[in-house]
Amino acid sequence: MFKRFAFPFAALLSLACFFLNPTPAPTSPLPPTLAPQTPAPVPPTESQPPTSTPQVVVFPTPDVPLSQAGPWLLATDDNGLWAVNPDGSGFTNLFDKKVVSPWYEFSTAISPDGHHLAFVTADEPQQYIGLRLILLTLPEGTTQILTPLMKPDVDPFADFSDPAFEAARAIGDYASAAWSPDGRKLAFIGAQDGPSSDLYVYSLDDGSITRLTDGPSQTYGLSWSPDGKYIVHAGVESFGTGAGYSLVGMWAARADGSGVETLYLPSGGDERVIGWIDNETFITSSWFITCGTSLLRTYNIPARSEKILRRECVDSYAFDPVSKTLVYSVSTTLSDFLEDKTTGVYFWNPSLDQPRAISEIANASNVSWSPESKLFYFGFEGGQATAIDLRGTPASVPVGITDPPAVSSAGDYAWIDDNFTLQITDPSGQTRAVFDGATGPLAWSADGQSFFFTDNRASLHVARKPDFTAEKITDLSNVGDFAWLSPPP
């Protein structure tokens, strides 16, 4: 699922609009401004061996063994990385230190072949001391330190004005590693050569690490092109304190180490690549403190050209990477702060020149994409959830569902109502209350027989068919995210 919530609370928004008076966006698309600083391409470094040899992880012995064939549900918390079988049995510790990054998007840590996990950990996670990149291979159960990510003996929190502080944030605050589409290379952000964070690539084939950028800005927001040629990324001087980042540019590094191309200078306080529509064109968005996500547009790398899809702000969006379909919503709450008061749901794919309004849905928010049902779901406070398909045609959602649901392969809907009660609705429309006080993350097993959730991100629970009686698996501490790992046969 590709999903980003962008609309801040109304009170904060009204204050921001009162105190800030940003320059309005031009009424017609303008060519992007080139970034003032271009990271100088550096030649590929010589192959660097990993800092440690692979060692077999000693797993605690659970009551029921963890399946050797998978799939496994992975969960992160303050004490490490855990795995459990699809039926909730075999709860096992895979790594006994906190995963610093990725925290809320752990599925990005899994290689496309489902065989490797790459994540950042630290000796002291709260202070980002001893940051290092870990490669964990399953089902063999081996862990390997690929490289330290900061210079030795650096305390990033010793001086907030030191570039090391911002470099550590680039590594630890965001998803700072990304697998190539073929799963043979891992792009990651590191500051081991200091003082700023730069872009590196690790090769699974020969174990080499190649430095791709060398500039004064802090790298973040990695996104591979579908053919593996480019790694698009942003650079900042500072990540700030909540009002946005000091962006200095967007670049496309060639993954083979042959150079870095300057793209444009973002105008907002954050820049995100939403997805790719071909090997050279991506969809991106900007963020402004006044109302959140805006400036949805496509950008073509060779032509250095952009096409505006939506200039004003949106509540949320979702993207299907297979059909290249983008859907976004504008609620009545958000429209009160916009020049354009039109609300609703908007649909776009590369066959359309501009997004098309879905006239049947006048007010919605919280857009989510469900690969299982191939539908986009919407919800709004106190109302019935709605959906559209990949043609933009409204689709039915069982009556009573008030929030975008998690849909199983068997057609069951799991959702949390306004009272934080987990509800499961079967394909016939029958709904049962499963658990009071449920919170995310949420995950169905691939066969649709089990549903996993947490109680205030603490205890881990499973509810199984046919009656979906909730069973506590174990206590955890501040659960970050769930992700399914399915190794190749």
Side-chain angles (χ1 to χ4, degrees):
M1 178 190 302
F2 289 75
K3 178 178 178 182
R4 177 175 168 85
F5 297 99
F7 180 55
F9 295 108
L12 175 62
L13 183 56
S14 59
L15 287 173
C17 292
F18 180 82
F19 287 109
L20 297 178
N21 183 25
T23 303
T27 56
S28 60
L30 295 176
T33 304
L34 293 181
Q37 296 175 338
T38 302
V42 296
T45 58
E46 295 181 0
S47 296
Q48 303 174 20
T51 56
S52 71
T53 56
Q55 297 178 353
V56 175
V57 179
V58 179
F59 296 144
T61 303
D63 294 338
V64 176
L66 190 67
S67 166
Q68 290 297 303
W72 309 283
L73 179 72
L74 306 180
T76 58
D77 80 339
D78 284 344
N79 298 313
L81 172 63
W82 310 86
V84 65
N85 293 322
D87 63 358
S89 66
F91 185 75
T92 301
N93 178 247
L94 299 180
F95 192 78
D96 63 359
K97 291 185 180 296
K98 180 178 179 177
V99 173
V100 173
S101 172
W103 183 245
Y104 288 120
E105 300 174 326
F106 194 69
S107 60
T108 62
I110 302 173
S111 63
D113 65 3
H115 194 52
H116 303 281
L117 297 170
F119 54 89
V120 175
T121 188
D123 294 327
E124 297 184 35
Q126 298 303 318
Q127 286 75 39
Y128 289 170
I129 293 176
L131 290 166
R132 55 189 179 274
L133 182 64
I134 302 296
L135 182 71
L136 191 149
T137 302
L138 293 173
E140 293 85 350
T142 61
T143 184
Q144 186 176 355
I145 301 174
L146 295 183
T147 179
L149 297 173
M150 301 284 289
K151 286 187 173 181
D153 304 321
V154 169
D155 181 357
F157 281 63
D159 182 357
F160 290 170
S161 65
D162 191 318
F165 172 66
E166 298 294 345
R169 294 185 67 186
I171 298 167
D173 284 3
Y174 310 93
S176 55
W179 288 98
S180 62
D182 65 2
R184 302 312 301 167
K185 292 182 179 180
L186 177 71
F188 67 92
I189 297 169
Q192 60 267 38
D193 295 312
S196 63
S197 62
D198 291 304
L199 174 60
Y200 297 79
V201 169
Y202 167 77
S203 171
L204 276 176
D205 295 327
D206 59 18
S208 64
I209 292 177
T210 302
R211 186 181 184 183
L212 298 185
T213 66
D214 180 13
S217 64
Q218 310 294 344
T219 300
Y220 87 101
L222 309 182
S223 181
W224 285 84
S225 61
D227 61 358
K229 179 180 179 180
Y230 295 111
I231 306 169
V232 170
H233 59 284
V236 304
E237 289 181 348
S238 169
F239 288 101
T241 58
Y245 312 150
S246 301
L247 286 155
V248 297
M250 288 286 288
W251 294 276
R254 290 191 286 274
D256 62 3
S258 62
V260 181
E261 299 185 29
T262 301
L263 301 183
Y264 60 91
L265 176 62
S267 58
D270 189 10
E271 194 78 2
R272 296 295 173 97
V273 174
I274 297 172
W276 293 76
I277 60 176
D278 59 41
N279 290 330
E280 299 176 335
T281 309
F282 57 88
I283 305 174
T284 187
S285 68
S286 300
W287 183 91
F288 297 87
I289 190 174
T290 48
C291 64
T293 299
S294 65
L295 282 178
L296 298 178
R297 61 204 188 278
T298 65
Y299 187 89
N300 181 269
I301 295 173
R304 302 292 194 274
S305 63
E306 66 177 13
K307 176 181 174 181
I308 301 294
L309 301 178
R310 163 109 182 155
R311 192 175 293 279
E312 290 201 85
C313 292
V314 303
D315 283 275
S316 59
Y317 61 73
F319 180 69
D320 169 30
V322 177
S323 67
K324 319 300 182 188
T325 301
L326 173 70
V327 172
Y328 62 87
S329 65
V330 181
S331 69
T332 54
T333 305
L334 175 60
S335 69
D336 289 342
F337 300 92
L338 303 179
E339 182 177 339
D340 181 0
K341 303 300 182 183
T342 306
T343 64
V345 169
Y346 296 82
F347 171 94
W348 181 87
N349 61 36
S351 69
L352 300 174
D353 181 59
Q354 288 295 315
R356 173 167 59 89
I358 306 300
S359 59
E360 293 88 347
I361 306 176
N363 180 32
S365 61
N366 296 352
V367 184
S368 66
W369 163 247
S370 171
E372 292 79 14
S373 62
K374 292 183 170 50
L375 295 175
F376 291 93
Y377 290 94
F378 315 87
F380 52 95
E381 187 174 354
Q384 168 70 31
T386 55
I388 61 173
D389 62 20
L390 288 171
R391 298 170 296 178
T393 303
S396 63
V397 178
V399 174
I401 296 179
T402 60
D403 200 54
V407 185
S408 77
S409 59
D412 293 295
Y413 301 80
W415 50 286
I416 296 175
D417 66 18
D418 293 340
N419 297 316
F420 298 100
T421 298
L422 172 64
Q423 309 271 2
I424 293 183
T425 303
D426 65 24
S428 70
Q430 181 179 354
T431 299
R432 69 184 74 202
V434 175
F435 190 88
D436 291 329
T439 58
L442 310 172
W444 283 101
S445 60
D447 60 8
Q449 298 301 302
S450 302
F451 185 74
F452 296 85
F453 61 95
T454 69
D455 177 1
N456 197 28
R457 291 192 176 270
S459 53
L460 174 65
H461 298 259
V462 63
R464 304 185 192 90
K465 272 194 165 186
D467 57 1
F468 288 112
T469 299
E471 298 178 19
K472 181 177 176 180
I473 298 174
T474 190
D475 287 319
L476 293 174
S477 175
N478 186 29
V479 176
D481 199 11
F482 292 158
W484 283 101
L485 189 151
S486 300

